[in-house]
Amino acid sequence: MTKKAPLVMIPGPTPVAEPVRQAMAVQTYGHNYSGFVEIYRECLSGLKTIFQADHMVVIGGSGTLAMEMTLINTVKAGQDLLVVSHGAFGDRFAAIAKVLGINADVLSCPPGSRVPLAEIEKALASKRYAAMTLTHVDTSTGVLAQAKEVGELAKKYDVLYILDGVCASAGVPEPMKDYGIDVIVTTCQKAFGTPPGLTMIAFNEKAAARRDELGTVPGYYTDWKNWMPIMENPSLYISTPPVNHIVALNEAVKLILAEGLEARYARHERIGRSFRAGLAALGLETVTEKEALAPTLSVVKYPPNVDDAAFRAKVEENGVFIAGALGPLKGKAFRVGHMGIIGMDEIAITLTAIERALTALGVQVTPGAAVGAAWQEWDSVRAAQGCACCCCGE
Ligand SMILES: *Cc1c(COP(=O)(O)O)cnc(C)c1O
């Protein structure tokens, strides 16, 4: 018998709901079989509803491909791009821009904080940028960006606004039209709760027009203009889509819409707060400033003298798989994802594993305090809402 794999609590891939996992195992349809074409259409249409998108492109790939593809389709070599970076994933846009010959001006800040809106406005006022990027949730620092407020600035300065939703989409609201977002780059293995393997891009007419203005772009598979007719009519062909993956994503999208977007976003907020109440009971603090805490993951500082590798090995011995930190935080913090289908069962198991790992490494904690505090926070939300409530299914 093989050993049971630990519960996956990293910020992607995340646990996969049973109907989604089963959908991966359907017979592999011909990509132009009418039954599959219908599923592809249904999936794209559901995603358009989630994002208020005019256009959706969903193809084989990853989140990083969505970032690269978006820059290829919206900014030319030699043009200026404003990158607002709250960590490693913000910086990734600058790295991609560099290889594409795009000039990136990067606004950054200390890990865990946000670039002030005034600083973004100052940059936008100083230069005519072809586009700007913002990371909705930077998975390296746990920072939730001010996506809506930045949208107002993008509108004021008439700059194409690209949002990296990879660690936020389907867990944090991203209504493109309401927020003035022109492009959302995302993928399926984070809050969508689908096995990794898809590049997902939502965009509006303004971004489509920008692609047209560019003429030829340095890509073929990555030219979204090649894909747009296929997204309208998936029986057409340019390159074979990952058939089973799209069937699975469609199941995930159906689950998301059935839960309801408002309820789902409220659930993510509440789960994040409950997990962090548990951490606080263990004396642990987040790297992230209080007002910038993401609902989808937590980046947590180690107490003095706790070794990163030893701690994560102990957590894994207790059945839970968590992530180390990136860049300047490496060795100083650990990361836990709490998005997609993760609920209080998983939070309780994870807090228990963290508590046991700390105890094993000689940190004094009160047994059971974390799980108790997490439930108390969870129940307080219900009390506050007088719960005939939409968000907890009770
Ligand atoms: C995970 C992540 C990415 C990269 O996605 P991949 O699918 O691993 O390429 C990009 N941006 C953010 C914010 C992420 O969390």
Side-chain angles (χ1 to χ4, degrees):
M1 203 175 112
T2 48
K3 191 165 155 273
K4 191 172 159 226
L7 173 66
V8 58
M9 291 294 289
I10 58 176
T14 64
V16 174
E18 200 53 20
V20 178
R21 199 176 69 80
Q22 301 257 349
M24 286 297 286
V26 294
Q27 173 196 341
T28 298
Y29 306 123
H31 65 277
N32 53 354
Y33 159 62
S34 61
F36 174 67
V37 168
E38 224 20 73
I39 290 169
Y40 212 154
R41 277 189 206 281
E42 182 181 38
C43 179
L44 295 166
S45 155
L47 291 167
K48 280 183 185 170
T49 303
I50 291 171
F51 295 116
Q52 300 181 341
D54 294 330
H55 301 279
M56 265 323 298
V57 170
V58 177
I59 60 176
S62 67
T64 305
L65 180 62
M67 296 166 79
E68 179 163 340
M69 188 162 168
T70 294
L71 290 189
I72 286 174
N73 284 277
T74 56
V75 188
K76 250 196 171 3
Q79 287 184 330
D80 293 310
L81 174 73
L82 182 64
V83 173
V84 180
S85 178
H86 294 145
F89 291 98
D91 292 347
R92 185 169 288 191
F93 267 122
I96 295 168
K98 192 169 178 203
V99 300
L100 293 173
I102 295 163
N103 308 317
D105 291 344
V106 183
L107 299 178
S108 30
C109 55
S113 63
R114 284 168 169 160
V115 175
L117 290 172
E119 208 175 300
I120 299 172
E121 174 147 23
K122 201 170 139 213
L124 289 173
S126 74
K127 206 189 259 189
R128 186 95 184 90
Y129 286 99
M132 74 179 293
T133 68
L134 180 71
T135 312
H136 201 174
V137 170
D138 200 301
T139 322
S140 68
T141 54
V143 169
L144 173 72
Q146 292 165 287
K148 185 175 180 206
E149 290 81 355
V150 171
E152 283 158 16
L153 292 177
K155 196 167 194 177
K156 181 169 171 191
Y157 292 91
D158 189 28
V159 60
L160 194 91
Y161 175 21
I162 300 164
L163 187 70
D164 174 352
V166 173
C167 196
S169 304
V172 183
E174 294 182 327
M176 297 185 71
K177 290 197 198 301
D178 298 347
Y179 285 12
I181 303 161
D182 297 304
V183 186
I184 295 174
V185 305
T186 195
T187 184
C188 60
Q189 78 272 17
K190 301 205 181 179
F192 276 100
T194 303
L198 293 171
T199 285
M200 299 160 61
I201 307 177
F203 55 102
N204 64 10
E205 296 300 355
K206 182 173 165 184
R210 169 65 65 83
R211 165 64 195 88
D212 284 340
E213 285 164 27
L214 296 185
T216 309
V217 298
Y220 180 81
Y221 185 85
T222 49
D223 183 354
W224 74 34
K225 214 173 162 177
N226 283 336
W227 287 101
M228 286 168 70
I230 288 142
M231 299 298 120
E232 292 304 315
N233 177 5
S235 69
L236 302 174
Y237 167 85
I238 159 182
S239 172
T240 311
V243 168
N244 293 56
H245 245 112
I246 285 158
V247 179
L249 178 64
N250 188 41
E251 286 307 311
V253 167
K254 284 197 281 190
L255 290 177
I256 290 164
L257 293 173
E259 180 175 8
L261 294 179
E262 292 312 313
R264 187 176 177 88
Y265 301 142
R267 174 171 65 80
H268 277 80
E269 268 288 330
R270 190 177 174 194
I271 282 284
R273 274 209 305 276
S274 302
F275 180 61
R276 289 188 281 253
L279 293 175
L282 294 170
L284 298 174
E285 288 176 8
T286 59
V287 163
T288 321
E289 284 177 0
K290 220 179 163 117
E291 59 283 357
L293 287 165
T296 48
L297 90 155
S298 295
V299 184
V300 190
K301 285 183 212 163
Y302 280 120
N305 305 321
V306 173
D307 178 71
D308 177 35
F311 173 76
R312 286 191 287 126
K314 285 286 172 205
V315 171
E316 188 173 338
E317 270 175 37
N318 283 281
V320 181
F321 192 66
I322 62 171
L326 304 173
L329 295 170
K330 200 171 162 62
K332 297 182 185 149
F334 63 93
R335 301 180 302 145
V336 176
H338 32 76
M339 62 190 126
I341 62 165
I342 284 166
M344 282 302 284
D345 295 4
E346 289 83 1
I347 292 298
I349 292 167
T350 303
L351 287 169
T352 300
I354 290 171
E355 176 187 301
R356 289 179 61 79
L358 288 175
T359 305
L361 297 175
V363 180
Q364 287 268 322
V365 295
T366 312
V371 173
W375 275 114
Q376 196 169 24
E377 174 62 32
W378 178 264
D379 289 337
S380 77
V381 176
R382 185 169 58 173
Q385 292 177 345
C387 219
C389 106
C390 50
C391 58
C392 59
E394 287 171 19

